[in-house]
Amino acid sequence: MNNLDPRPGVIDRRLDAVERLVAVSGGKGGIGKSVVSAGLALVLARQGLRVGLLDLDLTGPCGHLILGIDTSFPEESFGLIPPLAHGIRFMSISCFTGAEAAPLRGADVSNAIIELLTIVQWGRLDYLIIDMPPGLGDALLDAVRLLRRSEFLIVSTASRVVVQTVQRTLRLLDMVQVPVAGIVENMQRDGYAADPDIRALARDRGLPFWGSLPFDACLEPAVGDPEALACTAFAQALGKMVRSHLLAARD
Amino acid sequence: MHEFALAEGVAVTAVQAARKEGLQRITRLTVGIGELQQIERELFTGALREVMPAIHPQLAGVELELIVRPARLRCRACGQPFDLQAGNSELTEDQAEAIHFVPELAHTYLRCPACGSPDFEVMEGRGVWLEEIEGA
């Protein structure tokens, strides 16, 4: 017998009591996946739902910065208990590294993700939001392989450069038969209609277009302050989308 | 103790592997513990003893052998092979604890003793694995 990795066998058990897993992706960096992930978690938590946020960006984690969460070692109890902050159970590599760099190659990224999924005890959650790193590499493939009940929320911006990467992401998800909950346009500029290319992407694939989130100058000053974040036009628009597309189905 | 989570993995995987190999009962498990993760053998044995019967009655009373395998590292930048002692001389308690939770964080806190690079390969002795199952 070859050496067997004991970790993948328990990942499903860790997520048994999680109702929905929503992975926020889009392929490109800098399109606002992390702020959409954090915003989603915040909006859902403020609706009184049990929410977790897993930051899978191991080399550039920032969920803790956006939500103003102190990073410290999680409590140990038959695994690691994600700390509860602002009503959100939160886990990130930054809980172990703080602001230090984690220079990881592909296989290391994969191993670290498997380790986290093995040892983190999420408990009962209505939603686990997973902030995916950029790219179609190890993290995305591991999320697809190991988080078998996950659905993806795809973030795009009105840039041809981004849209083509989003298109590739959608092709991959289609290939591996992972459901897509919807597509959202981020950083929509004042006075512009929803980007026709993004709408077309959704329409051609029969996917729900959640709508457009504004480029909001108030967002950066609100980073680290969940109360201020929740009052931004960005969070208000995201809240509407969540009520129409996630919670409506739930009700 | 987060070791319970890993022990549960060993138990679940042993049952799955036994089923696959057509074993009706398991008599002995050999578990490898990589030095890098710094899991104490006695503590992990206790965790396995507690977790295994809860996963499957078949695992109660199974003979356990836990073998600690040394960590062997090799620098990708300069090719220098090194061991954990050479790479971690200045680790703080928190840094060692971080590697204990997620061994890949060795790349954050350890350095090649020859050139100082964090870009090294863990050739052997990373985490926990199931080496052998015996049964009938």
Side-chain angles (χ1 to χ4, degrees):
Chain A
M1 183 186 92
N2 290 328
N3 289 341
L4 294 177
D5 185 347
R7 300 170 299 164
V10 286
I11 291 173
D12 281 348
R13 297 166 80 100
R14 299 286 174 264
L15 301 165
D16 261 358
V18 178
E19 203 173 305
R20 285 180 78 173
L21 292 96
V22 180
V24 179
S25 186
K28 269 282 185 238
I31 58 174
K33 294 182 296 298
S34 294
V35 81
V36 169
S37 301
L40 258 184
L42 192 62
V43 163
L44 288 166
R46 289 170 83 96
Q47 294 279 332
L49 294 159
R50 290 164 298 196
V51 184
L53 175 60
L54 171 61
D55 189 345
L56 275 192
D57 193 340
L58 305 187
T59 53
C62 61
H64 61 293
L65 291 174
I66 296 168
L67 291 172
I69 297 174
D70 284 334
T71 52
S72 53
F73 281 163
E75 182 194 332
E76 281 188 77
S77 179
F78 292 90
L80 298 182
I81 308 301
L84 185 65
H86 318 301
I88 299 165
R89 291 270 169 209
F90 179 75
M91 181 52 62
S92 158
I93 202 78
S94 60
C95 295
F96 312 99
T97 58
E100 296 296 326
L104 303 178
R105 287 178 180 265
D108 300 320
V109 167
S110 205
N111 251 326
I113 288 175
I114 295 171
E115 198 75 25
L116 283 176
L117 294 176
T118 302
I119 61 176
V120 175
Q121 300 277 8
W122 288 102
R124 186 164 294 283
L125 293 178
D126 297 305
Y127 291 91
L128 176 60
I129 308 301
I130 303 143
D131 181 8
M132 299 297 300
L136 305 183
D138 296 83
L140 189 129
L141 294 171
D142 281 325
V144 165
R145 178 170 69 100
L146 299 165
L147 305 172
R148 281 181 278 212
R149 289 188 294 115
S150 59
E151 53 198 303
F152 275 68
L153 175 64
I154 300 298
V155 179
S156 184
T157 64
S159 154
R160 278 175 291 169
V161 176
V162 173
V163 169
Q164 188 166 87
T165 304
V166 164
Q167 199 167 24
R168 290 192 182 103
T169 308
L170 288 169
R171 282 194 183 127
L172 173 64
L173 294 174
D174 191 35
M175 204 186 302
V176 293
Q177 299 178 316
V178 169
V180 175
I183 301 179
V184 58
E185 176 185 358
N186 194 23
M187 303 186 202
Q188 184 195 36
R189 283 182 296 168
D190 248 358
Y192 281 75
D195 183 70
D197 291 342
I198 300 174
R199 292 193 77 114
L201 264 187
R203 191 187 54 239
D204 294 349
R205 290 167 185 271
L207 299 172
F209 176 62
W210 282 24
S212 305
L213 296 165
F215 180 87
D216 184 353
C218 297
L219 198 56
E220 184 59 32
V223 161
D225 179 351
E227 285 303 319
L229 207 57
C231 295
T232 59
F234 168 87
Q236 302 290 322
L238 189 57
K240 276 186 196 162
M241 291 179 187
V242 164
R243 283 188 290 278
S244 310
H245 292 279
L246 274 183
L247 301 182
R250 183 184 171 86
D251 295 340
Chain B
M1 286 198 316
H2 96 289
E3 284 83 349
F4 276 98
L6 295 170
E8 189 187 355
V10 170
V12 168
T13 306
V15 172
Q16 286 170 352
R19 203 169 291 152
K20 205 171 163 185
E21 291 185 18
L23 298 176
Q24 297 299 312
R25 65 190 184 94
I26 300 171
T27 54
R28 191 167 191 273
L29 293 179
T30 307
V31 178
I33 302 178
E35 184 193 12
L36 183 63
Q37 195 159 17
Q38 297 285 304
I39 285 178
E40 286 178 30
R41 183 164 41 189
E42 290 69 29
L43 196 143
F44 199 56
T45 304
L48 282 167
R49 287 270 173 241
E50 195 171 327
V51 163
M52 289 200 314
I55 296 297
H56 200 288
Q58 193 183 33
L59 292 172
V62 163
E63 192 185 333
L64 283 175
E65 184 179 9
L66 279 74
I67 303 171
V68 177
R69 304 286 185 196
R72 290 196 307 117
L73 317 172
R74 186 170 62 197
C75 182
R76 286 193 174 98
C78 73
Q80 172 77 29
F82 59 103
D83 61 19
L84 200 53
Q85 285 67 40
N88 80 344
S89 55
E90 289 171 15
L91 277 190
T92 66
E93 201 175 310
D94 277 358
Q95 291 168 347
E97 186 80 339
I99 297 171
H100 173 59
F101 289 134
V102 182
E104 283 58 48
L105 297 182
H107 296 282
T108 297
Y109 299 118
L110 303 187
R111 296 288 175 269
C112 166
C115 74
S117 172
D119 186 13
F120 52 81
E121 189 179 355
V122 180
M123 314 279 291
E124 200 178 40
R126 179 205 167 271
V128 170
W129 61 93
L130 191 53
E131 286 196 7
E132 205 176 345
I133 303 176
E134 289 174 34

